[in-house]
Amino acid sequence: LVAANLTQGSVTFIDTANRRAFASGPTTAVNLRGVAVFPNGRRVYVVGQRAQNERPTETAIGIWSNQAFVQVPNGRPNTVDNIWLDLLSDEVSDPDSVVLDQGLTRAYMTCTGGHSVLVSGLRSEENVTIREVGACPKGLTFTPDQRELWVANNLSNDVAVIDPATL
């Protein structure tokens, strides 16, 4: 089991058999929200935000950067991969949930502030923003056959359905 620690900026790896944490993976961010575990259980994909306290900001947008991380147990604070989502697309603010497809080719992330879903290639440079999926998308899940990605929209109180083949 892996838990994203919202304010601590790390992920905790938990052995469910003995109910004990056995490792932690620090990141450079806080507001960690969504976490997806790779099938081997030894890597996770987590989304969050990094405070830009080290530089002056002229707009509210400059206060936070939206990021994703691939982290391993007891990994370095700068993680295995540190992906700056703001550089990949617009409308990616406030990343919340993340799921990986079965083939481990893509990560899908809800972006509540952009009312969008960001699709990022795990082994490619692919980055696609699916806009206007609903108001404040929060939850993500694949159907068992992986033919549909369901997006639960918090404020519009509905579910959007995305075809992963065509986006």
Side-chain angles (χ1 to χ4, degrees), residues 100-115:
L100 307 175
D101 66 4
Q102 194 170 33
L104 297 179
T105 59
R106 292 174 171 163
Y108 296 80
M109 295 159 266
T110 58
C111 300
T112 61
H115 308 298

Side-chain angles (χ1 to χ4, degrees), residues 148-160:
E148 294 178 343
L149 178 66
W150 292 6
V151 184
N153 296 302
N154 187 39
L155 296 179
S156 55
N157 197 29
D158 59 13
V159 175

Side-chain angles (χ1 to χ4, degrees), residues 6-110:
L6 182 74
T7 58
Q8 187 178 359
S10 65
V11 290
T12 301
F13 294 80
I14 302 165
D15 182 337
T16 57
N18 66 20
R19 292 181 263 168
R20 293 186 185 268
F22 67 88
S24 179
T27 71
T28 56
V30 293
N31 288 341
L32 297 184
R33 296 180 185 136
V35 61
V37 181
F38 283 80
N40 66 7
R42 302 296 296 168
R43 281 191 310 160
V44 297
Y45 197 101
V46 62
V47 294
Q49 295 176 309
R50 181 174 180 268
Q52 299 294 339
N53 296 333
E54 73 278 1
R55 64 183 174 96
T57 57
E58 297 173 4
T59 65
I61 295 172
I63 296 171
W64 296 98
S65 64
N66 300 288
Q67 294 182 262
F69 306 93
V70 175
Q71 186 55 282
V72 298
N74 297 325
R76 301 183 319 267
N78 62 351
T79 74
V80 175
D81 287 322
N82 183 344
I83 303 139
W84 290 72
L85 302 178
D86 297 314
L87 300 177
L88 301 180
S89 177
D90 56 359
E91 299 181 34
V92 295
S93 62
D94 301 322
D96 195 84
S97 298
V98 60
V99 295
L100 307 175
D101 66 4
Q102 194 170 33
L104 297 179
T105 59
R106 292 174 171 163
Y108 296 80
M109 295 159 266
T110 58

